[in-house]
């Protein structure tokens, strides 16, 4: 585990309220709509990497999805997320880990990542992530990835990010994934600023 990175994120989640961070969404509509549009079974294995305090799983549990895995580097984020979900948290497998040290013991039907992959700026780490998803998404499974677009911020929470165009994200995952759709969407932060995201949906081939 990269301790500097872990401390960075733990400090944020320890010291800030849920809606004191730019990435907060009351309802993660884009992600929910994408998952529902894929039309997978309610029993499909879904992982949200770098889930933080996202409310995605709350919505998915309410819709009947019941095979959910949470992963985040921050213990504090996981604890606060568990408290927020209460009884519903028992329906989730909880993993506190650096994504680059994750060794899954199962393959996932849907791998969801909103604003996590884009923190990887080093080519060898990007390759490590691409290899990880390629190995651990089931055949015909989906990768849903939301990154900052070229019009988005160059930093988030003080850390540099890689920004993507449709072409760049497609090229990044092309070896094992077919791009189904990719679109831009503005996220309005709790501070009323705008961040332009690129959401991409890939199918494993
Ligand atoms: C910008 S936040 C997005 C949180 C969440 N996906 C959302 O949409 O609300 C980035 C999240 O990724 C987590 N994170 C950053 N680097 C990570 C890593 N290497 N491994 C696992 N989680 C990481 C952080 O703790 C944080 O919760």
């Amino acid at each position: 585990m990269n301790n500097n990175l872990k401390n960075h994120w733990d400090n944020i989640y320890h010291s800030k309220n849920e809606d004191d961070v730019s990435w907060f969404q009351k309802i993660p509509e884009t992600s929910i709509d994408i998952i529902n549009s894929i039309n997978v079974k309610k029993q499909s294995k879904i992982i949200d990497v770098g889930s933080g305090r996202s409310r995605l799983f709350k919505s998915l549990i309410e819709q009947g999805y019941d095979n959910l895995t949470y992963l985040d580097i921050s213990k504090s984020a996981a604890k606060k997320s568990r408290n927020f979900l209460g009884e519903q948290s028992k329906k989730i497998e909880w993993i506190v880990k650096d994504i680059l040290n994750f060794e899954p013991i199962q393959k996932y039907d849907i791998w969801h990542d909103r604003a996590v992959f884009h923190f990887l700026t080093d080519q060898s780490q990007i390759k490590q992530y691409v290899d990880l998803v390629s190995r651990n998404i089931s055949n015909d499974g989906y990768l849903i990835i939301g990154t900052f677009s070229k019009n988005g911020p160059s930093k988030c929470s003080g850390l540099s990010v890689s920004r993507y165009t449709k072409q760049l994200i497609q090229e990044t995952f092309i070896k094992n994934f077919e791009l189904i759709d990719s679109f831009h969407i503005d996220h309005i932060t709790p501070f009323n600023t705008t961040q332009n995201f690129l959401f991409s949906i890939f199918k494993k081939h």
Side-chain angles (χ1 to χ4, degrees), residues 87-110:
E87 269 298 298
Q88 291 176 328
S89 69
K90 294 182 182 154
K91 300 200 175 220
I92 298 171
E93 186 188 347
W94 296 85
I95 301 173
V96 173
K97 222 178 200 24
D98 185 329
I99 186 67
L100 295 181
N101 294 334
F102 182 39
E103 290 172 8
I105 50 169
Q106 59 176 339
K107 289 187 194 290
Y108 297 95
D109 302 311
I110 296 185

Side-chain angles (χ1 to χ4, degrees), residues 1-2 5-6 8-10 12-13 21-25 28 31 48-56 70-75 77 95-101 112-120 125 129 148 156-157 159 195 197 199:
M1 172 95 67
N2 178 335
L5 198 61
K6 180 185 166 8
H8 171 85
W9 289 105
D10 269 339
I12 289 176
Y13 285 112
V21 295
S22 59
W23 54 93
F24 173 72
Q25 293 177 296
S31 304
D48 186 26
V49 301
S51 191
R53 297 187 65 184
S54 167
R55 296 187 175 192
L56 176 63
Y70 170 107
L71 182 143
D72 201 280
I73 196 169
S74 166
K75 197 174 169 180
I95 301 173
V96 173
K97 222 178 200 24
D98 185 329
I99 186 67
L100 295 181
N101 294 334
H112 177 268
D113 175 325
R114 173 176 180 266
V116 186
F117 171 66
H118 69 191
F119 285 107
L120 305 179
Q125 291 191 333
Y129 185 102
F148 284 159
C156 177
S157 78
L159 301 176
Q195 297 178 331
F197 272 77
F199 265 87

Side-chain angles (χ1 to χ4, degrees), residues 117 125-135 172-173:
F117 171 66
Q125 291 191 333
I126 292 173
K127 183 177 182 309
Q128 229 182 306
Y129 185 102
V130 172
D131 289 347
L132 180 72
V133 293
S134 303
R135 279 196 313 272
T172 305
F173 292 97

Side-chain angles (χ1 to χ4, degrees), residues 144-176:
I144 301 165
I145 198 150
T147 64
F148 284 159
S149 78
K150 288 283 182 194
N151 297 324
S154 57
K155 286 195 164 194
C156 177
S157 78
L159 301 176
S160 295
V161 302
S162 301
R163 294 180 293 177
Y164 286 86
T165 58
K166 179 177 172 179
Q167 190 184 350
L168 181 57
I169 199 94
Q170 184 168 24
E171 281 169 10
T172 305
F173 292 97
I174 199 160
K175 196 167 159 208
N176 293 288

